[in-house]
Short mmCIF file of all heavy atoms in Angstrom, two decimals:
data_model
loop_
_atom_site.label_atom_id
_atom_site.label_comp_id
_atom_site.label_asym_id
_atom_site.label_seq_id
_atom_site.Cartn_x
_atom_site.Cartn_y
_atom_site.Cartn_z
N MET A 1000 11.66 10.50 22.49
CA MET A 1000 11.02 9.28 22.07
C MET A 1000 11.81 8.69 20.91
O MET A 1000 12.10 9.37 19.93
CB MET A 1000 9.59 9.60 21.64
CG MET A 1000 8.85 8.50 20.97
SD MET A 1000 8.13 7.42 22.16
CE MET A 1000 8.14 5.90 21.32
N LYS A 1001 12.17 7.42 21.04
CA LYS A 1001 12.90 6.73 19.98
C LYS A 1001 12.18 5.43 19.66
O LYS A 1001 11.66 4.77 20.56
CB LYS A 1001 14.33 6.43 20.41
CG LYS A 1001 15.16 7.66 20.63
CD LYS A 1001 16.56 7.30 21.04
CE LYS A 1001 17.35 8.58 21.32
NZ LYS A 1001 18.70 8.29 21.77
N VAL A 1002 12.16 5.10 18.37
CA VAL A 1002 11.59 3.84 17.92
C VAL A 1002 12.67 3.13 17.13
O VAL A 1002 13.13 3.62 16.10
CB VAL A 1002 10.34 4.07 17.03
CG1 VAL A 1002 9.78 2.74 16.56
CG2 VAL A 1002 9.28 4.87 17.77
N TYR A 1003 13.09 1.98 17.63
CA TYR A 1003 14.09 1.17 16.95
C TYR A 1003 13.35 0.05 16.24
O TYR A 1003 12.58 -0.68 16.85
CB TYR A 1003 15.09 0.58 17.95
CG TYR A 1003 15.90 1.62 18.68
CD1 TYR A 1003 15.58 2.03 19.97
CD2 TYR A 1003 17.00 2.21 18.06
CE1 TYR A 1003 16.33 2.99 20.63
CE2 TYR A 1003 17.76 3.17 18.72
CZ TYR A 1003 17.41 3.56 20.00
OH TYR A 1003 18.15 4.50 20.64
N VAL A 1004 13.59 -0.08 14.95
CA VAL A 1004 12.90 -1.09 14.15
C VAL A 1004 13.93 -2.09 13.65
O VAL A 1004 14.91 -1.72 13.00
CB VAL A 1004 12.18 -0.43 12.96
CG1 VAL A 1004 11.51 -1.48 12.10
CG2 VAL A 1004 11.17 0.59 13.45
N TYR A 1005 13.69 -3.34 13.98
CA TYR A 1005 14.51 -4.44 13.51
C TYR A 1005 13.62 -5.37 12.70
O TYR A 1005 12.42 -5.16 12.60
CB TYR A 1005 15.14 -5.19 14.69
CG TYR A 1005 16.06 -4.31 15.50
CD1 TYR A 1005 15.64 -3.73 16.69
CD2 TYR A 1005 17.35 -4.04 15.07
CE1 TYR A 1005 16.47 -2.91 17.42
CE2 TYR A 1005 18.20 -3.23 15.81
CZ TYR A 1005 17.75 -2.67 16.99
OH TYR A 1005 18.57 -1.86 17.71
N GLU A 1006 14.20 -6.41 12.13
CA GLU A 1006 13.44 -7.28 11.25
C GLU A 1006 12.25 -7.92 11.96
O GLU A 1006 11.16 -7.98 11.41
CB GLU A 1006 14.35 -8.37 10.69
CG GLU A 1006 13.66 -9.23 9.67
CD GLU A 1006 14.59 -10.22 9.01
OE1 GLU A 1006 15.77 -10.27 9.35
OE2 GLU A 1006 14.10 -10.95 8.15
N LYS A 1007 12.40 -8.38 13.18
CA LYS A 1007 11.33 -9.08 13.88
C LYS A 1007 10.93 -8.44 15.21
O LYS A 1007 10.22 -9.04 16.00
CB LYS A 1007 11.75 -10.53 14.17
CG LYS A 1007 11.93 -11.37 12.95
CD LYS A 1007 10.60 -11.78 12.40
CE LYS A 1007 10.79 -12.72 11.23
NZ LYS A 1007 9.55 -13.12 10.66
N GLN A 1008 11.37 -7.22 15.45
CA GLN A 1008 11.02 -6.59 16.72
C GLN A 1008 11.00 -5.08 16.61
O GLN A 1008 11.58 -4.50 15.71
CB GLN A 1008 11.99 -7.01 17.82
CG GLN A 1008 13.42 -6.56 17.60
CD GLN A 1008 14.33 -7.05 18.71
OE1 GLN A 1008 13.88 -7.40 19.78
NE2 GLN A 1008 15.62 -7.09 18.44
N ILE A 1009 10.29 -4.48 17.55
CA ILE A 1009 10.19 -3.03 17.64
C ILE A 1009 10.50 -2.67 19.09
O ILE A 1009 9.97 -3.27 20.01
CB ILE A 1009 8.76 -2.57 17.31
CG1 ILE A 1009 8.35 -3.07 15.94
CG2 ILE A 1009 8.64 -1.07 17.41
CD1 ILE A 1009 6.88 -3.09 15.72
N ILE A 1010 11.36 -1.69 19.27
CA ILE A 1010 11.70 -1.24 20.62
C ILE A 1010 11.31 0.23 20.73
O ILE A 1010 11.76 1.06 19.92
CB ILE A 1010 13.20 -1.42 20.91
CG1 ILE A 1010 13.58 -2.90 20.80
CG2 ILE A 1010 13.55 -0.86 22.29
CD1 ILE A 1010 15.06 -3.17 20.91
N LEU A 1011 10.46 0.53 21.70
CA LEU A 1011 10.04 1.90 21.96
C LEU A 1011 10.73 2.38 23.22
O LEU A 1011 10.68 1.71 24.26
CB LEU A 1011 8.52 1.97 22.16
CG LEU A 1011 7.66 1.45 21.00
CD1 LEU A 1011 6.20 1.43 21.41
CD2 LEU A 1011 7.84 2.30 19.78
N VAL A 1012 11.38 3.54 23.13
CA VAL A 1012 12.11 4.10 24.26
C VAL A 1012 11.60 5.52 24.48
O VAL A 1012 11.58 6.33 23.55
CB VAL A 1012 13.63 4.12 24.00
CG1 VAL A 1012 14.37 4.74 25.17
CG2 VAL A 1012 14.15 2.73 23.69
N GLY A 1013 11.18 5.79 25.69
CA GLY A 1013 10.70 7.13 25.99
C GLY A 1013 9.90 7.14 27.28
O GLY A 1013 9.86 6.15 28.01
N LYS A 1014 9.26 8.24 27.52
CA LYS A 1014 8.41 8.36 28.69
C LYS A 1014 7.12 7.58 28.45
O LYS A 1014 6.72 7.36 27.30
CB LYS A 1014 8.11 9.82 28.97
CG LYS A 1014 9.36 10.60 29.28
CD LYS A 1014 9.03 12.05 29.57
CE LYS A 1014 10.32 12.82 29.67
NZ LYS A 1014 10.68 13.26 30.96
N ALA A 1015 6.48 7.18 29.52
CA ALA A 1015 5.28 6.34 29.41
C ALA A 1015 4.22 6.98 28.53
O ALA A 1015 3.62 6.33 27.68
CB ALA A 1015 4.72 6.03 30.79
N TRP A 1016 3.98 8.28 28.69
CA TRP A 1016 2.94 8.94 27.91
C TRP A 1016 3.31 9.00 26.43
O TRP A 1016 2.44 8.94 25.57
CB TRP A 1016 2.63 10.33 28.47
CG TRP A 1016 3.76 11.33 28.35
CD1 TRP A 1016 4.72 11.59 29.28
CD2 TRP A 1016 4.02 12.20 27.25
NE1 TRP A 1016 5.59 12.56 28.81
CE2 TRP A 1016 5.17 12.95 27.57
CE3 TRP A 1016 3.40 12.43 26.01
CZ2 TRP A 1016 5.71 13.91 26.70
CZ3 TRP A 1016 3.94 13.37 25.16
CH2 TRP A 1016 5.09 14.10 25.52
N GLU A 1017 4.62 9.10 26.13
CA GLU A 1017 5.06 9.11 24.74
C GLU A 1017 4.82 7.75 24.07
O GLU A 1017 4.35 7.68 22.93
CB GLU A 1017 6.55 9.47 24.64
CG GLU A 1017 6.87 10.88 25.07
CD GLU A 1017 8.36 11.15 25.15
OE1 GLU A 1017 9.12 10.25 25.58
OE2 GLU A 1017 8.76 12.25 24.75
N ILE A 1018 5.14 6.69 24.81
CA ILE A 1018 4.96 5.35 24.28
C ILE A 1018 3.48 5.06 24.08
O ILE A 1018 3.08 4.50 23.06
CB ILE A 1018 5.63 4.31 25.21
CG1 ILE A 1018 7.15 4.50 25.15
CG2 ILE A 1018 5.24 2.89 24.83
CD1 ILE A 1018 7.94 3.68 26.14
N LYS A 1019 2.65 5.45 25.04
CA LYS A 1019 1.20 5.25 24.90
C LYS A 1019 0.67 5.98 23.67
O LYS A 1019 -0.15 5.44 22.92
CB LYS A 1019 0.47 5.71 26.16
CG LYS A 1019 0.64 4.77 27.33
CD LYS A 1019 0.05 5.32 28.61
CE LYS A 1019 -1.44 5.35 28.58
NZ LYS A 1019 -2.03 5.73 29.88
N GLN A 1020 1.13 7.20 23.45
CA GLN A 1020 0.69 7.97 22.29
C GLN A 1020 1.13 7.30 20.99
O GLN A 1020 0.35 7.21 20.04
CB GLN A 1020 1.25 9.39 22.37
CG GLN A 1020 0.83 10.28 21.22
CD GLN A 1020 -0.67 10.50 21.16
OE1 GLN A 1020 -1.33 10.57 22.19
NE2 GLN A 1020 -1.20 10.59 19.97
N LYS A 1021 2.36 6.82 20.94
CA LYS A 1021 2.86 6.16 19.74
C LYS A 1021 2.09 4.87 19.48
O LYS A 1021 1.75 4.56 18.33
CB LYS A 1021 4.35 5.87 19.89
CG LYS A 1021 5.03 5.35 18.65
CD LYS A 1021 4.92 6.27 17.46
CE LYS A 1021 5.73 7.51 17.59
NZ LYS A 1021 5.72 8.36 16.40
N LEU A 1022 1.75 4.12 20.53
CA LEU A 1022 0.97 2.90 20.36
C LEU A 1022 -0.43 3.21 19.85
O LEU A 1022 -0.99 2.46 19.05
CB LEU A 1022 0.92 2.11 21.67
CG LEU A 1022 2.23 1.45 22.09
CD1 LEU A 1022 2.10 0.85 23.47
CD2 LEU A 1022 2.66 0.39 21.08
N LYS A 1023 -1.01 4.32 20.30
CA LYS A 1023 -2.32 4.73 19.79
C LYS A 1023 -2.24 5.06 18.30
O LYS A 1023 -3.13 4.70 17.54
CB LYS A 1023 -2.84 5.96 20.55
CG LYS A 1023 -3.40 5.64 21.90
CD LYS A 1023 -3.96 6.89 22.55
CE LYS A 1023 -4.43 6.60 23.95
NZ LYS A 1023 -4.97 7.80 24.60
N GLU A 1024 -1.17 5.74 17.89
CA GLU A 1024 -0.98 6.07 16.47
C GLU A 1024 -0.91 4.80 15.63
O GLU A 1024 -1.58 4.69 14.60
CB GLU A 1024 0.30 6.87 16.28
CG GLU A 1024 0.25 8.28 16.77
CD GLU A 1024 1.57 8.99 16.61
OE1 GLU A 1024 2.36 8.63 15.70
OE2 GLU A 1024 1.85 9.90 17.41
N TYR A 1025 -0.08 3.85 16.06
CA TYR A 1025 0.05 2.61 15.31
C TYR A 1025 -1.20 1.74 15.45
O TYR A 1025 -1.50 0.94 14.57
CB TYR A 1025 1.29 1.84 15.75
CG TYR A 1025 2.57 2.43 15.21
CD1 TYR A 1025 3.50 3.02 16.06
CD2 TYR A 1025 2.84 2.41 13.85
CE1 TYR A 1025 4.67 3.57 15.55
CE2 TYR A 1025 4.01 2.96 13.34
CZ TYR A 1025 4.91 3.53 14.19
OH TYR A 1025 6.07 4.07 13.70
N GLY A 1026 -1.94 1.90 16.53
CA GLY A 1026 -3.18 1.16 16.72
C GLY A 1026 -4.25 1.53 15.72
O GLY A 1026 -5.15 0.73 15.44
N GLU A 1027 -4.18 2.72 15.16
CA GLU A 1027 -5.13 3.12 14.13
C GLU A 1027 -4.87 2.36 12.83
O GLU A 1027 -5.77 2.13 12.04
CB GLU A 1027 -5.04 4.62 13.88
CG GLU A 1027 -5.49 5.46 15.05
CD GLU A 1027 -5.25 6.94 14.85
OE1 GLU A 1027 -4.81 7.34 13.75
OE2 GLU A 1027 -5.51 7.70 15.79
N GLN A 1028 -3.62 1.98 12.62
CA GLN A 1028 -3.22 1.31 11.38
C GLN A 1028 -3.24 -0.21 11.51
O GLN A 1028 -3.58 -0.91 10.57
CB GLN A 1028 -1.83 1.79 10.99
CG GLN A 1028 -1.43 1.46 9.59
CD GLN A 1028 -0.11 2.13 9.22
OE1 GLN A 1028 0.54 2.75 10.06
NE2 GLN A 1028 0.29 1.98 7.98
N PHE A 1029 -2.87 -0.72 12.68
CA PHE A 1029 -2.78 -2.16 12.90
C PHE A 1029 -3.59 -2.54 14.13
O PHE A 1029 -3.52 -1.86 15.15
CB PHE A 1029 -1.32 -2.58 13.13
CG PHE A 1029 -0.40 -2.20 12.01
CD1 PHE A 1029 0.45 -1.11 12.12
CD2 PHE A 1029 -0.39 -2.92 10.83
CE1 PHE A 1029 1.31 -0.76 11.09
CE2 PHE A 1029 0.46 -2.57 9.79
CZ PHE A 1029 1.30 -1.50 9.91
N GLN A 1030 -4.31 -3.66 14.04
CA GLN A 1030 -5.11 -4.10 15.18
C GLN A 1030 -4.24 -4.84 16.20
O GLN A 1030 -4.44 -4.70 17.40
CB GLN A 1030 -6.25 -4.99 14.72
CG GLN A 1030 -7.19 -5.39 15.83
CD GLN A 1030 -8.39 -6.17 15.31
OE1 GLN A 1030 -8.48 -6.46 14.13
NE2 GLN A 1030 -9.28 -6.49 16.21
N TYR A 1031 -3.29 -5.64 15.70
CA TYR A 1031 -2.44 -6.44 16.58
C TYR A 1031 -0.97 -6.10 16.35
O TYR A 1031 -0.57 -5.71 15.25
CB TYR A 1031 -2.65 -7.94 16.31
CG TYR A 1031 -4.07 -8.39 16.55
CD1 TYR A 1031 -4.89 -8.73 15.48
CD2 TYR A 1031 -4.60 -8.47 17.83
CE1 TYR A 1031 -6.19 -9.14 15.68
CE2 TYR A 1031 -5.90 -8.88 18.05
CZ TYR A 1031 -6.69 -9.21 16.97
OH TYR A 1031 -7.98 -9.60 17.18
N VAL A 1032 -0.19 -6.31 17.37
CA VAL A 1032 1.25 -6.08 17.26
C VAL A 1032 1.86 -7.03 16.23
O VAL A 1032 2.77 -6.66 15.49
CB VAL A 1032 1.95 -6.23 18.64
CG1 VAL A 1032 3.45 -6.12 18.51
CG2 VAL A 1032 1.42 -5.20 19.61
N ASP A 1033 1.32 -8.24 16.14
CA ASP A 1033 1.80 -9.21 15.17
C ASP A 1033 1.66 -8.67 13.75
O ASP A 1033 2.56 -8.85 12.92
CB ASP A 1033 1.03 -10.53 15.32
CG ASP A 1033 1.59 -11.63 14.45
OD1 ASP A 1033 2.83 -11.80 14.44
OD2 ASP A 1033 0.79 -12.32 13.79
N GLU A 1034 0.57 -8.01 13.44
CA GLU A 1034 0.38 -7.40 12.12
C GLU A 1034 1.44 -6.32 11.88
O GLU A 1034 1.98 -6.20 10.78
CB GLU A 1034 -1.01 -6.77 12.01
CG GLU A 1034 -2.14 -7.75 12.03
CD GLU A 1034 -3.49 -7.07 12.08
OE1 GLU A 1034 -3.55 -5.82 12.18
OE2 GLU A 1034 -4.49 -7.79 12.01
N TRP A 1035 1.71 -5.56 12.90
CA TRP A 1035 2.70 -4.48 12.82
C TRP A 1035 4.08 -5.05 12.53
O TRP A 1035 4.78 -4.59 11.63
CB TRP A 1035 2.67 -3.70 14.13
CG TRP A 1035 3.50 -2.46 14.19
CD1 TRP A 1035 4.06 -1.79 13.16
CD2 TRP A 1035 3.85 -1.75 15.36
NE1 TRP A 1035 4.75 -0.68 13.63
CE2 TRP A 1035 4.63 -0.64 14.98
CE3 TRP A 1035 3.59 -1.94 16.72
CZ2 TRP A 1035 5.15 0.26 15.89
CZ3 TRP A 1035 4.09 -1.03 17.62
CH2 TRP A 1035 4.86 0.07 17.21
N THR A 1036 4.48 -6.08 13.27
CA THR A 1036 5.81 -6.67 13.07
C THR A 1036 5.90 -7.37 11.72
O THR A 1036 6.95 -7.33 11.08
CB THR A 1036 6.18 -7.65 14.20
OG1 THR A 1036 5.18 -8.65 14.31
CG2 THR A 1036 6.34 -6.94 15.52
N ASN A 1037 4.81 -8.00 11.26
CA ASN A 1037 4.83 -8.63 9.93
C ASN A 1037 5.00 -7.59 8.84
O ASN A 1037 5.74 -7.80 7.88
CB ASN A 1037 3.57 -9.45 9.70
CG ASN A 1037 3.55 -10.73 10.50
OD1 ASN A 1037 4.59 -11.24 10.90
ND2 ASN A 1037 2.37 -11.25 10.75
N ALA A 1038 4.32 -6.46 8.96
CA ALA A 1038 4.45 -5.38 7.98
C ALA A 1038 5.88 -4.84 7.95
O ALA A 1038 6.44 -4.60 6.89
CB ALA A 1038 3.46 -4.27 8.27
N ILE A 1039 6.45 -4.69 9.12
CA ILE A 1039 7.83 -4.21 9.21
C ILE A 1039 8.78 -5.23 8.60
O ILE A 1039 9.70 -4.88 7.87
CB ILE A 1039 8.20 -3.90 10.67
CG1 ILE A 1039 7.48 -2.64 11.11
CG2 ILE A 1039 9.70 -3.75 10.84
CD1 ILE A 1039 7.62 -2.34 12.57
N SER A 1040 8.55 -6.50 8.89
CA SER A 1040 9.42 -7.56 8.37
C SER A 1040 9.38 -7.58 6.85
O SER A 1040 10.42 -7.69 6.20
CB SER A 1040 8.97 -8.91 8.94
OG SER A 1040 9.79 -9.93 8.44
N GLN A 1041 8.20 -7.44 6.25
CA GLN A 1041 8.08 -7.43 4.80
C GLN A 1041 8.80 -6.22 4.21
O GLN A 1041 9.53 -6.34 3.23
CB GLN A 1041 6.62 -7.41 4.38
CG GLN A 1041 5.91 -8.71 4.66
CD GLN A 1041 4.43 -8.61 4.40
OE1 GLN A 1041 3.89 -7.54 4.12
NE2 GLN A 1041 3.75 -9.74 4.53
N ASN A 1042 8.61 -5.05 4.80
CA ASN A 1042 9.27 -3.84 4.32
C ASN A 1042 10.77 -3.93 4.52
O ASN A 1042 11.55 -3.48 3.69
CB ASN A 1042 8.71 -2.60 5.00
CG ASN A 1042 7.29 -2.31 4.56
OD1 ASN A 1042 6.87 -2.71 3.49
ND2 ASN A 1042 6.57 -1.61 5.39
N PHE A 1043 11.19 -4.50 5.64
CA PHE A 1043 12.61 -4.65 5.95
C PHE A 1043 13.28 -5.53 4.90
O PHE A 1043 14.34 -5.20 4.38
CB PHE A 1043 12.77 -5.25 7.35
CG PHE A 1043 14.18 -5.27 7.86
CD1 PHE A 1043 14.72 -4.17 8.48
CD2 PHE A 1043 14.97 -6.40 7.72
CE1 PHE A 1043 16.03 -4.18 8.96
CE2 PHE A 1043 16.27 -6.42 8.19
CZ PHE A 1043 16.79 -5.31 8.81
N ASN A 1044 12.63 -6.66 4.57
CA ASN A 1044 13.21 -7.58 3.59
C ASN A 1044 13.27 -6.95 2.20
O ASN A 1044 14.25 -7.12 1.49
CB ASN A 1044 12.42 -8.89 3.55
CG ASN A 1044 12.66 -9.73 4.78
OD1 ASN A 1044 13.69 -9.63 5.42
ND2 ASN A 1044 11.69 -10.56 5.13
N SER A 1045 12.23 -6.22 1.81
CA SER A 1045 12.26 -5.60 0.49
C SER A 1045 13.32 -4.49 0.43
O SER A 1045 14.01 -4.34 -0.57
CB SER A 1045 10.89 -5.04 0.12
OG SER A 1045 10.54 -3.95 0.94
N TYR A 1046 13.48 -3.74 1.51
CA TYR A 1046 14.50 -2.71 1.56
C TYR A 1046 15.89 -3.33 1.49
O TYR A 1046 16.76 -2.87 0.78
CB TYR A 1046 14.36 -1.88 2.84
CG TYR A 1046 15.46 -0.86 3.01
CD1 TYR A 1046 15.47 0.30 2.25
CD2 TYR A 1046 16.49 -1.07 3.91
CE1 TYR A 1046 16.48 1.24 2.38
CE2 TYR A 1046 17.51 -0.15 4.05
CZ TYR A 1046 17.50 1.00 3.29
OH TYR A 1046 18.50 1.92 3.43
N LYS A 1047 16.06 -4.44 2.21
CA LYS A 1047 17.35 -5.13 2.23
C LYS A 1047 17.69 -5.66 0.84
O LYS A 1047 18.82 -5.56 0.38
CB LYS A 1047 17.33 -6.27 3.25
CG LYS A 1047 18.65 -6.95 3.43
CD LYS A 1047 18.57 -8.00 4.50
CE LYS A 1047 19.89 -8.73 4.62
NZ LYS A 1047 19.85 -9.85 5.53
N GLN A 1048 16.70 -6.22 0.13
CA GLN A 1048 16.94 -6.73 -1.21
C GLN A 1048 17.32 -5.60 -2.16
O GLN A 1048 18.20 -5.76 -3.00
CB GLN A 1048 15.69 -7.46 -1.72
CG GLN A 1048 15.45 -8.78 -1.04
CD GLN A 1048 14.12 -9.41 -1.43
OE1 GLN A 1048 13.33 -8.80 -2.14
NE2 GLN A 1048 13.88 -10.61 -0.95
N GLN A 1049 16.67 -4.47 -2.05
CA GLN A 1049 17.00 -3.32 -2.89
C GLN A 1049 18.42 -2.86 -2.63
O GLN A 1049 19.17 -2.54 -3.55
CB GLN A 1049 16.02 -2.18 -2.66
CG GLN A 1049 14.64 -2.43 -3.20
CD GLN A 1049 13.68 -1.33 -2.83
OE1 GLN A 1049 14.06 -0.37 -2.17
NE2 GLN A 1049 12.45 -1.46 -3.26
N ALA A 1050 18.82 -2.83 -1.37
CA ALA A 1050 20.16 -2.39 -1.01
C ALA A 1050 21.20 -3.38 -1.53
O ALA A 1050 22.26 -2.98 -2.01
CB ALA A 1050 20.28 -2.25 0.50
N ASP A 1051 20.89 -4.67 -1.48
CA ASP A 1051 21.82 -5.69 -1.98
C ASP A 1051 22.00 -5.58 -3.49
O ASP A 1051 23.08 -5.83 -4.02
CB ASP A 1051 21.34 -7.09 -1.61
CG ASP A 1051 21.46 -7.38 -0.13
OD1 ASP A 1051 22.19 -6.64 0.56
OD2 ASP A 1051 20.80 -8.33 0.35
N CYS A 1052 20.95 -5.21 -4.20
CA CYS A 1052 21.02 -5.09 -5.66
C CYS A 1052 21.88 -3.91 -6.10
O CYS A 1052 22.43 -3.90 -7.19
CB CYS A 1052 19.62 -4.95 -6.25
SG CYS A 1052 18.63 -6.44 -6.11
N ARG A 1053 22.02 -2.93 -5.26
CA ARG A 1053 22.78 -1.73 -5.62
C ARG A 1053 24.28 -1.96 -5.59
O ARG A 1053 25.03 -1.23 -6.18
CB ARG A 1053 22.41 -0.57 -4.68
CG ARG A 1053 21.01 -0.09 -4.89
CD ARG A 1053 20.70 1.04 -3.96
NE ARG A 1053 19.28 1.35 -4.04
CZ ARG A 1053 18.62 2.05 -3.16
NH1 ARG A 1053 19.24 2.55 -2.12
NH2 ARG A 1053 17.34 2.28 -3.30
N HIS A 1054 24.75 -2.97 -4.85
CA HIS A 1054 26.18 -3.19 -4.71
C HIS A 1054 26.69 -4.19 -5.67
O HIS A 1054 26.33 -5.03 -6.21
CB HIS A 1054 26.53 -3.64 -3.29
CG HIS A 1054 26.22 -2.56 -2.29
ND1 HIS A 1054 26.80 -1.32 -2.31
CD2 HIS A 1054 25.38 -2.55 -1.25
CE1 HIS A 1054 26.35 -0.60 -1.32
NE2 HIS A 1054 25.47 -1.33 -0.65
#
């Protein structure tokens, strides 16, 4: 099972039962996929800004 996280998208790769299980896990935290991607986008941007400040 692999989860690829990008700024505006999430890609789940694996067997159907693995993906269903992972979606159930994230479903406990987020009601909608849009909420999930927005949270990732905010974290992605803050991580990127921190990395830019280090150089």
Side-chain angles (χ1 to χ4, degrees):
M1000 170 84 210
K1001 295 180 183 178
V1002 180
Y1003 297 100
V1004 178
Y1005 298 100
E1006 186 174 1
K1007 294 284 184 181
Q1008 64 182 341
I1009 304 160
I1010 300 173
L1011 302 173
V1012 179
K1014 297 181 188 251
W1016 66 269
E1017 293 172 322
I1018 292 172
K1019 286 173 71 173
Q1020 181 63 35
K1021 188 58 71 176
L1022 289 173
K1023 282 183 184 180
E1024 288 177 28
Y1025 284 113
E1027 294 174 4
Q1028 194 173 6
F1029 303 103
Q1030 185 174 3
Y1031 300 108
V1032 174
D1033 187 47
E1034 293 173 356
W1035 187 15
T1036 56
N1037 287 337
I1039 288 172
S1040 180
Q1041 290 173 354
N1042 290 336
F1043 188 85
N1044 288 334
S1045 68
Y1046 175 75
K1047 186 177 177 186
Q1048 288 173 354
Q1049 289 174 0
D1051 289 343
C1052 291
R1053 292 180 189 163
H1054 296 300

